[in-house]
CSV table of all heavy atoms in Angstrom, one decimal:
chain,number,residue,atom,x,y,z
A,1,ARG,N,174.3,155.5,30.0
A,1,ARG,CA,175.2,156.6,30.0
A,1,ARG,C,174.7,157.8,29.2
A,1,ARG,O,175.0,159.0,29.6
A,1,ARG,CB,176.6,156.2,29.4
A,1,ARG,CG,177.4,155.2,30.3
A,1,ARG,CD,178.8,155.0,29.7
A,1,ARG,NE,178.8,154.5,28.4
A,1,ARG,CZ,178.7,153.2,28.0
A,1,ARG,NH1,178.7,152.3,29.0
A,1,ARG,NH2,178.7,152.8,26.8
A,2,ALA,N,174.0,157.6,28.2
A,2,ALA,CA,173.4,158.7,27.4
A,2,ALA,C,172.5,159.5,28.2
A,2,ALA,O,172.5,160.7,28.2
A,2,ALA,CB,172.8,158.2,26.1
A,3,ALA,N,171.6,158.9,29.0
A,3,ALA,CA,170.6,159.5,29.8
A,3,ALA,C,171.3,160.3,30.9
A,3,ALA,O,170.9,161.4,31.2
A,3,ALA,CB,169.6,158.6,30.4
A,4,ARG,N,172.4,159.7,31.5
A,4,ARG,CA,173.1,160.4,32.5
A,4,ARG,C,173.8,161.6,32.0
A,4,ARG,O,173.9,162.6,32.6
A,4,ARG,CB,174.1,159.4,33.2
A,4,ARG,CG,173.5,158.3,34.0
A,4,ARG,CD,174.5,157.7,35.0
A,4,ARG,NE,175.7,157.4,34.5
A,4,ARG,CZ,176.1,156.2,33.9
A,4,ARG,NH1,175.1,155.3,33.8
A,4,ARG,NH2,177.2,156.0,33.5
A,5,LEU,N,174.3,161.5,30.8
A,5,LEU,CA,175.0,162.6,30.2
A,5,LEU,C,174.1,163.8,30.0
A,5,LEU,O,174.4,165.0,30.2
A,5,LEU,CB,175.6,162.2,28.8
A,5,LEU,CG,176.4,163.3,28.1
A,5,LEU,CD1,177.6,163.8,28.8
A,5,LEU,CD2,176.8,162.8,26.7
A,6,ARG,N,172.8,163.5,29.5
A,6,ARG,CA,171.8,164.6,29.3
A,6,ARG,C,171.5,165.3,30.6
A,6,ARG,O,171.3,166.5,30.7
A,6,ARG,CB,170.6,163.9,28.7
A,6,ARG,CG,170.7,163.4,27.4
A,6,ARG,CD,169.4,162.9,26.8
A,6,ARG,NE,169.5,162.0,25.7
A,6,ARG,CZ,169.4,160.6,25.8
A,6,ARG,NH1,169.0,160.1,26.9
A,6,ARG,NH2,169.6,159.9,24.7
A,7,ARG,N,171.4,164.5,31.7
A,7,ARG,CA,171.1,165.1,33.0
A,7,ARG,C,172.3,165.9,33.6
A,7,ARG,O,172.1,167.0,34.1
A,7,ARG,CB,170.8,164.0,34.1
A,7,ARG,CG,169.5,163.3,33.8
A,7,ARG,CD,169.0,162.5,35.0
A,7,ARG,NE,170.0,161.6,35.5
A,7,ARG,CZ,170.1,160.3,35.1
A,7,ARG,NH1,169.3,159.8,34.2
A,7,ARG,NH2,171.1,159.5,35.6
A,8,ARG,N,173.5,165.4,33.4
A,8,ARG,CA,174.6,166.1,34.1
A,8,ARG,C,175.3,167.1,33.2
A,8,ARG,O,175.9,168.1,33.8
A,8,ARG,CB,175.6,165.0,34.5
A,8,ARG,CG,175.1,164.0,35.5
A,8,ARG,CD,176.0,162.9,35.9
A,8,ARG,NE,175.3,161.9,36.8
A,8,ARG,CZ,175.9,160.8,37.3
A,8,ARG,NH1,177.1,160.5,36.9
A,8,ARG,NH2,175.2,160.0,38.1
A,9,SER,N,175.2,167.0,31.9
A,9,SER,CA,175.8,167.9,31.0
A,9,SER,C,174.8,168.1,29.9
A,9,SER,O,175.0,167.5,28.8
A,9,SER,CB,177.2,167.5,30.5
A,9,SER,OG,178.0,167.3,31.6
A,10,PRO,N,173.8,168.9,30.0
A,10,PRO,CA,172.7,169.0,29.0
A,10,PRO,C,173.2,169.4,27.6
A,10,PRO,O,172.7,168.9,26.6
A,10,PRO,CB,171.8,170.1,29.6
A,10,PRO,CG,172.0,170.0,31.1
A,10,PRO,CD,173.4,169.7,31.3
A,11,MET,N,174.2,170.3,27.5
A,11,MET,CA,174.7,170.7,26.2
A,11,MET,C,175.4,169.6,25.6
A,11,MET,O,175.2,169.3,24.4
A,11,MET,CB,175.7,171.9,26.4
A,11,MET,CG,174.9,173.2,26.8
A,11,MET,SD,176.1,174.6,26.8
A,11,MET,CE,176.6,174.7,25.1
A,12,ALA,N,176.2,168.8,26.3
A,12,ALA,CA,177.0,167.7,25.7
A,12,ALA,C,175.9,166.6,25.3
A,12,ALA,O,176.1,166.0,24.3
A,12,ALA,CB,178.0,167.1,26.7
A,13,GLY,N,174.9,166.4,26.2
A,13,GLY,CA,173.9,165.5,25.9
A,13,GLY,C,173.1,165.8,24.6
A,13,GLY,O,172.8,164.9,23.7
A,14,ALA,N,172.8,167.1,24.4
A,14,ALA,CA,172.1,167.5,23.2
A,14,ALA,C,173.0,167.3,22.0
A,14,ALA,O,172.5,166.9,20.9
A,14,ALA,CB,171.7,169.0,23.4
A,15,ALA,N,174.3,167.6,22.1
A,15,ALA,CA,175.2,167.4,21.0
A,15,ALA,C,175.3,165.9,20.6
A,15,ALA,O,175.3,165.6,19.4
A,15,ALA,CB,176.6,168.0,21.3
A,16,HIS,N,175.4,165.1,21.6
A,16,HIS,CA,175.4,163.6,21.4
A,16,HIS,C,174.2,163.2,20.6
A,16,HIS,O,174.2,162.5,19.6
A,16,HIS,CB,175.5,162.9,22.7
A,16,HIS,CG,175.3,161.4,22.6
A,16,HIS,ND1,174.1,160.8,22.7
A,16,HIS,CD2,176.2,160.4,22.5
A,16,HIS,CE1,174.2,159.5,22.6
A,16,HIS,NE2,175.5,159.3,22.4
A,17,ASP,N,173.0,163.7,21.0
A,17,ASP,CA,171.8,163.2,20.4
A,17,ASP,C,171.7,163.7,19.0
A,17,ASP,O,171.2,163.1,18.1
A,17,ASP,CB,170.6,163.7,21.2
A,17,ASP,CG,170.4,163.0,22.6
A,17,ASP,OD1,171.1,162.0,22.7
A,17,ASP,OD2,169.7,163.6,23.5
A,18,ALA,N,172.2,164.9,18.7
A,18,ALA,CA,172.2,165.5,17.4
A,18,ALA,C,173.0,164.7,16.4
A,18,ALA,O,172.7,164.4,15.3
A,18,ALA,CB,172.6,167.0,17.4
A,19,VAL,N,174.2,164.3,16.9
A,19,VAL,CA,175.1,163.5,16.1
A,19,VAL,C,174.4,162.1,15.8
A,19,VAL,O,174.6,161.6,14.7
A,19,VAL,CB,176.5,163.3,16.7
A,19,VAL,CG1,177.4,162.3,15.9
A,19,VAL,CG2,177.2,164.7,16.9
A,20,ILE,N,173.8,161.5,16.8
A,20,ILE,CA,173.2,160.2,16.6
A,20,ILE,C,172.1,160.4,15.5
A,20,ILE,O,172.0,159.5,14.6
A,20,ILE,CB,172.5,159.8,17.9
A,20,ILE,CG1,173.6,159.3,18.9
A,20,ILE,CG2,171.5,158.6,17.7
A,20,ILE,CD1,174.3,158.0,18.6
A,21,SER,N,171.3,161.4,15.6
A,21,SER,CA,170.2,161.7,14.6
A,21,SER,C,170.8,161.9,13.2
A,21,SER,O,170.3,161.3,12.2
A,21,SER,CB,169.4,162.9,15.0
A,21,SER,OG,168.7,162.7,16.2
A,22,ALA,N,171.9,162.6,13.1
A,22,ALA,CA,172.6,162.8,11.8
A,22,ALA,C,173.1,161.5,11.3
A,22,ALA,O,173.0,161.2,10.0
A,22,ALA,CB,173.7,163.8,12.0
A,23,CYS,N,173.7,160.7,12.1
A,23,CYS,CA,174.2,159.4,11.6
A,23,CYS,C,173.1,158.5,11.1
A,23,CYS,O,173.3,157.8,10.1
A,23,CYS,CB,174.9,158.7,12.8
A,23,CYS,SG,176.5,159.4,13.3
A,24,LYS,N,172.0,158.5,11.8
A,24,LYS,CA,170.9,157.6,11.3
A,24,LYS,C,170.3,158.1,10.0
A,24,LYS,O,170.0,157.4,9.1
A,24,LYS,CB,169.8,157.6,12.4
A,24,LYS,CG,170.2,156.9,13.7
A,24,LYS,CD,169.1,156.9,14.7
A,24,LYS,CE,168.0,155.8,14.4
A,24,LYS,NZ,168.5,154.5,14.4
A,25,ALA,N,170.3,159.5,9.9
A,25,ALA,CA,169.7,160.1,8.7
A,25,ALA,C,170.7,159.8,7.5
A,25,ALA,O,170.2,159.4,6.4
A,25,ALA,CB,169.5,161.6,8.9
A,26,LEU,N,172.0,159.9,7.7
A,26,LEU,CA,172.9,159.8,6.6
A,26,LEU,C,173.1,158.3,6.2
A,26,LEU,O,173.4,158.1,5.0
A,26,LEU,CB,174.3,160.3,7.1
A,26,LEU,CG,174.4,161.8,7.2
A,26,LEU,CD1,175.7,162.2,7.9
A,26,LEU,CD2,174.3,162.5,5.8
A,27,THR,N,172.8,157.4,7.1
A,27,THR,CA,172.9,155.9,6.7
A,27,THR,C,171.5,155.3,6.5
A,27,THR,O,171.4,154.1,6.4
A,27,THR,CB,173.6,155.2,7.8
A,27,THR,OG1,172.9,155.3,9.0
A,27,THR,CG2,175.0,155.7,8.0
A,28,PHE,N,170.5,156.2,6.4
A,28,PHE,CA,169.1,155.7,6.2
A,28,PHE,C,168.7,154.7,7.2
A,28,PHE,O,168.0,153.7,6.9
A,28,PHE,CB,168.9,155.1,4.8
A,28,PHE,CG,169.2,156.2,3.7
A,28,PHE,CD1,170.5,156.2,3.1
A,28,PHE,CD2,168.3,157.1,3.3
A,28,PHE,CE1,170.8,157.1,2.1
A,28,PHE,CE2,168.6,158.0,2.3
A,28,PHE,CZ,169.9,158.0,1.7
A,29,GLY,N,169.2,154.9,8.5
A,29,GLY,CA,168.8,154.0,9.6
A,29,GLY,C,169.5,152.7,9.6
A,29,GLY,O,169.3,151.9,10.5
A,30,ARG,N,170.5,152.5,8.7
A,30,ARG,CA,171.2,151.2,8.7
A,30,ARG,C,172.3,151.0,9.8
A,30,ARG,O,172.7,150.0,10.1
A,30,ARG,CB,171.8,151.0,7.3
A,30,ARG,CG,170.8,150.7,6.2
A,30,ARG,CD,171.5,150.2,5.0
A,30,ARG,NE,172.3,151.2,4.3
A,30,ARG,CZ,171.9,152.0,3.4
A,30,ARG,NH1,170.6,152.0,3.0
A,30,ARG,NH2,172.7,152.9,2.9
A,31,TRP,N,172.8,152.2,10.3
A,31,TRP,CA,173.8,152.1,11.3
A,31,TRP,C,173.2,152.4,12.7
A,31,TRP,O,172.6,153.5,12.9
A,31,TRP,CB,174.9,153.2,11.1
A,31,TRP,CG,176.0,153.2,12.1
A,31,TRP,CD1,176.4,152.2,12.9
A,31,TRP,CD2,176.8,154.3,12.5
A,31,TRP,NE1,177.4,152.6,13.8
A,31,TRP,CE2,177.7,153.9,13.5
A,31,TRP,CE3,176.9,155.6,12.0
A,31,TRP,CZ2,178.6,154.7,14.1
A,31,TRP,CZ3,177.8,156.5,12.6
A,31,TRP,CH2,178.6,156.0,13.6
A,32,GLY,N,173.2,151.4,13.6
A,32,GLY,CA,172.7,151.6,14.9
A,32,GLY,C,173.7,152.4,15.8
A,32,GLY,O,174.3,151.8,16.7
A,33,ALA,N,174.0,153.6,15.5
A,33,ALA,CA,175.0,154.3,16.2
A,33,ALA,C,174.8,154.5,17.7
A,33,ALA,O,175.7,154.6,18.5
A,33,ALA,CB,175.2,155.7,15.5
């Protein structure tokens, strides 16, 4: 679904990926968001 979101709604896909990266950084990689 994440890959399909990037293809069909690039802005929403980019926002999703940014939040995922922030979650991993804030939890030092402990949360597999």
Side-chain angles (χ1 to χ4, degrees):
R1 288 189 301 272
R4 294 203 309 273
L5 180 62
R6 296 184 198 105
R7 291 195 305 270
R8 298 175 183 179
S9 303
M11 291 183 63
H16 169 272
D17 292 344
V19 174
I20 288 287
S21 297
C23 291
K24 293 180 75 68
L26 291 171
T27 62
F28 302 98
R30 289 193 293 269
W31 178 28

